[in-house]
Amino acid sequence: MTFHGENKLLLQAIIDSLTDAVSVVDEKGMGIMINRAYTKLTGMGKEQVLKKPATVDIAEGESVHMRVLQTGRPIKGVRMKVGPLRREVIVNCAPLIIDGEIKGSVGLIHDISDLRRVTEDLEHTRR
């Protein structure tokens, strides 16, 4: 699956405007698109992710992209750690279906490391 010219620029601008990290892979599980929030969250840039396997950013856990590509079904609420910084995240992933065929997978990655820290601090204060 490839995007060209103006469509690619528009799509990139759309995903860059999102606050959650976005990762898109093709039908083989190779990275084809990420957004700025993804780079900020994982510490990994396009050269480290694009045209690389979906597993390249996983520090702990298994690839949700690959499970979606195998099953053809969306997966929600998977906790894992990503990037060299091992950020704790929750991943929601859905298949990209075009003309009835799976052409890739798109993942939304939500950082929960700060939320976890606040929860732990609150728990410590309660004790």
Side-chain angles (χ1 to χ4, degrees):
M1 179 170 48
T2 57
F3 302 100
H4 299 286
E6 212 171 293
N7 286 340
K8 184 173 183 176
L9 292 174
L10 178 60
L11 184 57
Q12 187 67 55
I14 291 168
I15 71 164
D16 278 340
S17 72
L18 301 174
T19 55
D20 278 344
V22 176
S23 167
V24 184
V25 300
D26 65 15
E27 66 274 9
K28 295 176 183 150
M30 302 298 274
I32 58 172
M33 189 171 273
I34 58 173
N35 68 349
R36 288 185 192 126
Y38 174 95
T39 297
K40 185 176 176 185
L41 172 65
T42 64
M44 298 174 74
K46 290 180 179 182
E47 64 285 343
Q48 296 168 288
V49 177
L50 302 185
K51 298 180 183 173
K52 304 277 192 305
T55 54
V56 75
D57 61 354
I58 299 172
E60 190 176 303
E62 64 179 271
S63 174
V64 183
H65 279 306
M66 295 311 290
R67 284 202 333 224
V68 166
L69 291 173
Q70 290 165 355
T71 65
R73 309 185 97 181
I75 298 173
K76 294 183 179 182
V78 177
R79 293 177 76 156
M80 59 189 345
K81 292 183 182 178
V82 295
L85 304 174
R86 298 179 57 84
R87 300 296 290 267
E88 286 189 73
V89 298
I90 290 181
V91 178
N92 296 326
C93 214
L96 294 173
I97 299 173
I98 300 170
D99 294 330
E101 291 183 33
I102 297 175
K103 294 294 185 178
S105 170
V106 60
L108 287 175
I109 307 157
H110 185 71
D111 186 1
I112 60 166
S113 53
D114 291 339
L115 178 62
R116 188 172 181 95
R117 232 175 279 120
V118 169
T119 303
E120 287 171 358
D121 289 347
L122 185 60
E123 191 63 37
H124 180 70
T125 303
R126 274 195 200 138
R127 286 189 214 133

